[in-house]
Amino acid sequence: MTTPIFRKATAADVPAIVAMLREDNLGAQRETAPDEYYVAAFKSIGDAPQNHLIVGEIAGHVISYYHLTVLGGLSHRAARRGNIEDVRVAESLRGQGIGHLMMEDAATRARDLGCGVLQLVAHETRQAAHAFYLSVGFTASHVGFKRSLSDPEETQ
């Protein structure tokens, strides 16, 4: 396997990112908005300095993605937290170590941004993801809750 290069995502990467978000059952159900919604969201998210939209690329092809947000807080001696969302590796490349490299990249970026903690959540049905996160040093420390504010049917 060629080692991916992790870099800041650009608007040109949005179609590849959305395609990865749609690759599993949960994503296929919820990622149904028109493409222009994702492009507008990308711009809005990317304009906020606490957000870091990162893609992994091999030979000019986007093969992974994660969204790192730096959160301030008062607990844990006012530690900054790196919160990771939307972790994806292209389905055809899973199991080759890319996720591990991606999580190391996220940890380095979070540390460089002054974070003392790196955290994420994974849907309760994503058992393989749970095992993966445990294997790269995360601990199952919390129970998460969610409340939809737009669509009462949207719970995932």
Side-chain angles (χ1 to χ4, degrees):
M1 174 196 73
T2 304
T3 302
I5 296 168
F6 296 102
R7 62 167 174 78
K8 181 179 176 182
T10 68
D13 299 322
V14 172
I17 293 167
V18 173
M20 283 185 285
L21 293 173
R22 291 176 174 156
E23 278 187 332
D24 63 34
N25 290 338
L26 291 175
Q29 292 173 27
R30 68 179 169 212
E31 303 307 337
T32 59
D35 291 344
E36 59 268 18
Y37 284 42
Y38 296 99
V39 172
F42 178 88
K43 179 172 177 10
S44 174
I45 294 163
D47 285 348
Q50 71 273 21
N51 288 312
H52 305 271
L53 306 170
I54 307 299
V55 294
E57 176 182 275
I58 295 176
H61 299 284
V62 172
I63 52 86
S64 67
Y65 170 73
Y66 71 91
H67 174 175
L68 173 66
T69 303
V70 176
L71 305 169
L74 296 177
S75 65
H76 296 275
R77 299 186 302 262
R80 293 176 114 193
R81 291 185 176 94
N83 191 69
I84 304 173
E85 296 279 339
D86 299 335
V87 176
R88 294 293 190 278
V89 172
E91 192 171 44
S92 64
L93 297 173
R94 292 181 191 154
Q96 297 183 28
I98 293 167
H100 179 81
L101 295 171
M102 189 167 52
M103 290 297 98
E104 287 305 312
D105 183 76
T108 298
R109 287 176 194 270
R111 203 175 291 112
D112 290 349
L113 291 163
C115 297
V117 175
L118 189 58
Q119 62 189 29
L120 54 78
V121 297
H123 194 273
E124 63 188 6
T125 62
R126 296 183 192 265
Q127 296 300 313
H130 299 178
F132 167 72
Y133 293 127
L134 291 170
S135 79
V136 295
F138 287 86
T139 58
S141 61
H142 291 71
V143 174
F145 298 90
K146 181 172 156 180
R147 178 180 172 190
S148 177
L149 300 178
S150 58
D151 182 353
E153 304 264 328
E154 185 182 303
T155 59
Q156 302 180 8

